[in-house]
């Protein structure tokens, strides 16, 4: 199933097959929207530093102001409530809550999030907190970053500061957002902060991110006692389809799935790293830095798995000239481009593969899931009448929500869908060049404008809810 919704029939309709308690939400992250980078005690994160590296970010842009959400938060919550969503997923800025990544909490930083929670609850919107969305305090990176074991313990301490301050009013907590991105883009490929390029460091980061998750989850469980707590982690997941049925292509998919999915979910759910991936790493002279008791902590029971989905992928096990190995003598894992519609990120649009992924996750891991991010960047512009037509994005949302419904029909326990993103924002290494929002942001004036996709999403939620009320 590719883009199947005709642009001429993008009228909102009730989504079939979703339960009455299905969650509808929007999502953001702290560094991408907050701004106020040097205010009220916040210290630099690795992204503040990375943005100053020449050539690291499009046009040398940064999140110093971003969407100025720190100062415009009440109006933004009003906007969220007006969309009719019941849940808002946002992340806390670690260097705002615990400057430097050590020591006591910063009262002014916590006060901002307390006010945000109050505003949301006053408007009938449930807060869903993500503890870590990539803004590691720079001081912890200077001490070794995620490849250093101590960072896992620092994360658990920070998680407890946040939970102690907000846990009496917030039930839904996600520990990490997309540890694959933190580890691989940050430490192996250098495309994200902190910009390091060492596979051994990246694998150390993988393990210590998961250890930090487990330590934090264990301590939060103990602290919550009998109080409500829905605890999860969010992974960016896709599908790995072989280009042909050849052994080389199937092997490439095994490797891609191992490094992208099973390396995270196997220890989280089953308490072990996949043996084939451990062997693959050993062939490169890399060993995961596991110590006694680590995997028991990583496998602390979860209530929900957050799934961020943007695309599936087709893989080949040979180079374009037919070689089964690359220049380092390693087996080839090559993504193959398909003749499919694409977003402004040049990402293939593959909603049917979201259905496949969710059914596979149910089969192999049996955790309830929530789509914590799904959306698309397109080059939409403000029209003369003040509207923002974005039929491509509306069709994208329609097709992926339909894919969720189909996954439920096939037995997947999917309990919610959060659109990414609430508003246009700082898109990491792409700066402000790519717009994912269902709300347009004029970065010169900070004016917010509902795009057509936001109106469609609002009306779709309303009509779907009415089905259960009738």
């Amino acid at each position: 199933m590719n883009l199947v919704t005709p642009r001429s029939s993008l009228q909102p309709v009730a989504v079939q097959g979703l339960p009455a308690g299905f969650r509808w939400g929007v999502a953001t992250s702290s560094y991408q929207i907050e701004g106020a980078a040097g205010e009220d005690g916040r210290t630099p994160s690795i992204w503040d530093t990375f943005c100053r590296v020449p050539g690291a970010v499009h046009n040398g842009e940064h999140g110093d102001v971003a969407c100025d959400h720190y100062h415009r938060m009440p109006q933004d919550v009003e906007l969220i409530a007006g969309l009719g969503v019941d849940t808002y997923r946002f992340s806390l800025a670690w260097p705002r809550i615990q400057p430097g990544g050590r020591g006591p909490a910063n009262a002014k930083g916590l006060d901002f999030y307390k006010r945000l929670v109050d505003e949301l609850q006053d408007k009938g919107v449930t807060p869903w907190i993500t503890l870590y969305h990539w803004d590691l305090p720079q001081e912890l990176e200077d001490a070794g970053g995620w490849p250093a074991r101590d960072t896992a313990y620092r994360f658990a301490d920070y998680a407890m500061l946040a939970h102690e301050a907000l846990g009496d009013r917030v039930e839904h907590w996600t520990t990490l957002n997309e540890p694959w991105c933190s580890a691989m883009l940050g430490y192996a490929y250098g495309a994200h902060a902190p910009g390091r390029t060492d596979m051994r460091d990246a694998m150390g980061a993988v393990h210590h991110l998961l250890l930090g998750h487990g330590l934090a989850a264990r301590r939060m469980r103990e602290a919550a006692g009998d109080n409500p707590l829905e605890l999860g982690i969010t992974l960016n997941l896709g599908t790995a389809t072989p280009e042909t049925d050849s052994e080389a292509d199937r092997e490439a998919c095994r490797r891609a799935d191992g490094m992208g999915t099973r390396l995270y979910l196997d220890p989280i759910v089953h308490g072990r790293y996949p043996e084939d991936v451990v062997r693959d790493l050993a062939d490169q002279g890399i060993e995961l830095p596991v110590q006694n008791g680590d995997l028991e902590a990583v496998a602390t029971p979860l209530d929900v798995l957050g799934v961020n989905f943007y695309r599936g992928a087709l893989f080949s096990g040979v180079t374009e000239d037919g070689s089964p190995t690359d220049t380092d003598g390693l087996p080839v894992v090559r993504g193959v481009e398909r003749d499919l519609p694409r977003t402004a990120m040049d990402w293939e649009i593959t909603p049917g593969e979201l259905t496949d992924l969710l059914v596979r996750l149910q089969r192999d891991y049996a955790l309830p899931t929530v789509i914590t991010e799904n959306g698309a960047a397109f080059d939409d512009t403000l029209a003369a009448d003040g509207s923002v037509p974005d039929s491509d994005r509306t069709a994208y949302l329609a097709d992926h929500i339909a894919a969720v419904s189909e996954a439920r029909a096939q037995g997947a326990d999917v309990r919610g869908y959060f659109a990414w993103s609430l508003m246009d924002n700082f898109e990491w290494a792409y700066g402000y060049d790519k717009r994912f929002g269902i709300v347009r942001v004029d970065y010169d004036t900070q004016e917010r404008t509902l795009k057509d996709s936001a109106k469609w999403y609002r009306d779709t939620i309303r009509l779907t809810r009415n089905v259960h009320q009738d």
Side-chain angles (χ1 to χ4, degrees):
M1 183 173 72
N2 296 320
L3 265 183
V4 296
T5 302
R7 302 302 188 276
S8 59
S9 61
L10 289 173
Q11 296 303 311
V13 296
V15 182
Q16 302 302 311
L18 301 182
F22 190 83
R23 288 190 172 276
W24 294 99
V26 287
T28 65
S29 85
S30 51
Y31 190 75
Q32 292 181 272
I33 68 166
E34 283 182 3
E39 294 186 34
D40 292 338
R42 181 188 179 278
T43 55
S45 75
I46 54 175
W47 271 95
D48 295 283
T49 302
F50 187 68
C51 288
R52 269 64 186 184
V53 175
V57 176
H58 176 76
N59 283 344
E61 292 164 346
H62 49 71
D64 287 8
V65 176
C67 302
D68 199 32
H69 174 70
Y70 191 77
H71 300 115
R72 300 168 186 267
M73 179 268 292
Q75 301 96 300
D76 287 341
V77 172
E78 188 81 36
L79 185 154
I80 292 166
L83 292 172
V85 300
D86 51 63
T87 305
Y88 174 48
R89 175 182 177 245
F90 61 95
S91 74
L92 310 180
W94 187 348
R96 196 180 297 285
I97 287 178
Q98 190 188 37
R102 302 175 188 272
N106 171 31
K108 289 184 177 180
L110 280 176
D111 284 347
F112 170 73
Y113 296 110
K114 290 177 180 178
R115 294 195 306 273
L116 171 55
V117 168
D118 288 345
E119 291 279 348
L120 290 166
Q121 293 180 330
D122 286 348
K123 298 292 189 301
V125 178
T126 299
W128 185 301
I129 286 177
T130 298
L131 284 162
Y132 184 73
H133 199 130
W134 308 353
D135 43 4
L136 183 72
Q138 181 60 43
E139 290 88 342
L140 293 186
E141 173 60 24
D142 294 342
W146 284 110
R149 185 177 179 86
D150 185 62
T151 305
Y153 294 94
R154 302 286 69 76
F155 174 73
D157 288 347
Y158 149 67
M160 291 309 298
L161 293 177
H163 186 260
E164 288 164 5
L166 300 167
D168 59 333
R169 288 171 295 161
V170 177
E171 178 178 346
H172 305 278
W173 293 80
T174 293
T175 53
L176 306 175
N177 180 78
E178 301 184 348
W180 181 93
C181 292
S182 296
M184 299 303 293
L185 297 182
Y187 291 96
Y189 305 144
H192 278 189
R196 288 158 63 176
T197 53
D198 186 301
M199 182 59 78
R200 187 171 280 98
D201 281 350
M203 291 302 101
V206 167
H207 181 64
H208 297 136
L209 282 155
L210 293 179
L211 177 60
H213 151 77
L215 295 172
R218 178 182 285 173
R219 290 177 62 181
M220 290 169 69
R221 279 255 186 259
E222 293 170 352
D226 295 330
N227 294 324
L229 176 67
E230 184 175 76
L231 188 61
I233 188 172
T234 280
L235 305 179
N236 56 303
L237 300 171
T239 54
T241 304
E243 183 182 24
T244 72
D245 195 41
S246 71
E247 182 178 352
D249 288 359
R250 285 185 281 110
E251 170 68 3
C253 287
R254 179 197 66 77
R255 288 176 172 271
D257 182 71
M259 288 293 289
T261 297
R262 292 182 290 114
L263 182 61
Y264 301 89
L265 275 170
D266 278 22
I268 289 169
V269 177
H270 301 312
R272 61 179 184 270
Y273 284 111
E275 292 181 1
D276 62 312
V277 177
V278 172
R279 287 196 301 270
D280 292 344
L281 292 172
D283 289 343
Q284 301 175 59
I286 297 172
E287 182 178 355
L288 291 161
V290 180
Q291 296 187 15
N292 287 339
D294 285 5
L295 290 172
E296 289 83 356
V298 173
T300 297
L302 296 183
D303 302 300
V304 64
L305 171 64
V307 176
N308 290 358
F309 178 86
Y310 291 96
R311 55 178 169 167
L314 190 71
F315 288 100
S316 172
V318 296
T319 61
E320 291 185 353
D321 62 8
S323 170
T325 58
D326 65 17
T327 53
D328 295 320
L330 296 172
V332 169
V333 180
R334 177 174 64 87
V336 179
E337 294 189 358
R338 295 174 280 187
D339 184 19
L340 294 174
R342 293 172 181 267
T343 71
M345 300 287 286
D346 201 31
W347 294 349
E348 295 173 348
I349 300 174
T350 61
E353 292 177 23
L354 174 56
T355 299
D356 296 341
L357 170 68
L358 292 169
V359 172
R360 179 268 178 104
L361 293 174
Q362 185 69 43
R363 181 188 69 237
D364 291 353
Y365 299 103
L367 282 173
T369 54
V370 169
I371 306 302
T372 39
E373 288 183 25
N374 177 243
F378 289 106
D379 296 326
D380 43 69
T381 57
L382 193 67
D385 64 359
S387 67
V388 186
D390 61 340
S391 60
D392 284 340
R393 182 176 291 104
T394 303
Y396 182 100
L397 295 176
D399 289 340
H400 284 79
I401 292 169
V404 170
S405 178
E406 176 59 26
R408 283 192 56 88
Q410 295 185 33
D413 185 7
V414 194
R415 300 184 179 183
Y417 176 92
F418 303 164
W420 183 270
S421 173
L422 167 65
M423 65 180 86
D424 296 335
N425 54 44
F426 177 78
E427 187 49 43
W428 308 113
Y430 291 92
Y432 297 95
D433 187 52
K434 304 300 182 187
R435 292 179 177 268
F436 275 85
I438 61 173
V439 175
R440 182 177 176 82
V441 176
D442 182 320
Y443 296 118
D444 294 326
T445 66
Q446 294 295 343
E447 182 179 1
R448 277 77 157 136
T449 304
L450 294 186
K451 301 179 185 180
D452 286 357
S453 59
K455 300 171 187 177
W456 177 90
Y457 191 50
R458 176 196 64 199
D459 295 344
T460 296
I461 293 169
R462 174 178 53 80
L463 290 168
T464 305
R465 285 204 186 111
N466 287 345
V467 168
H468 298 292
Q469 294 170 357
D470 291 343

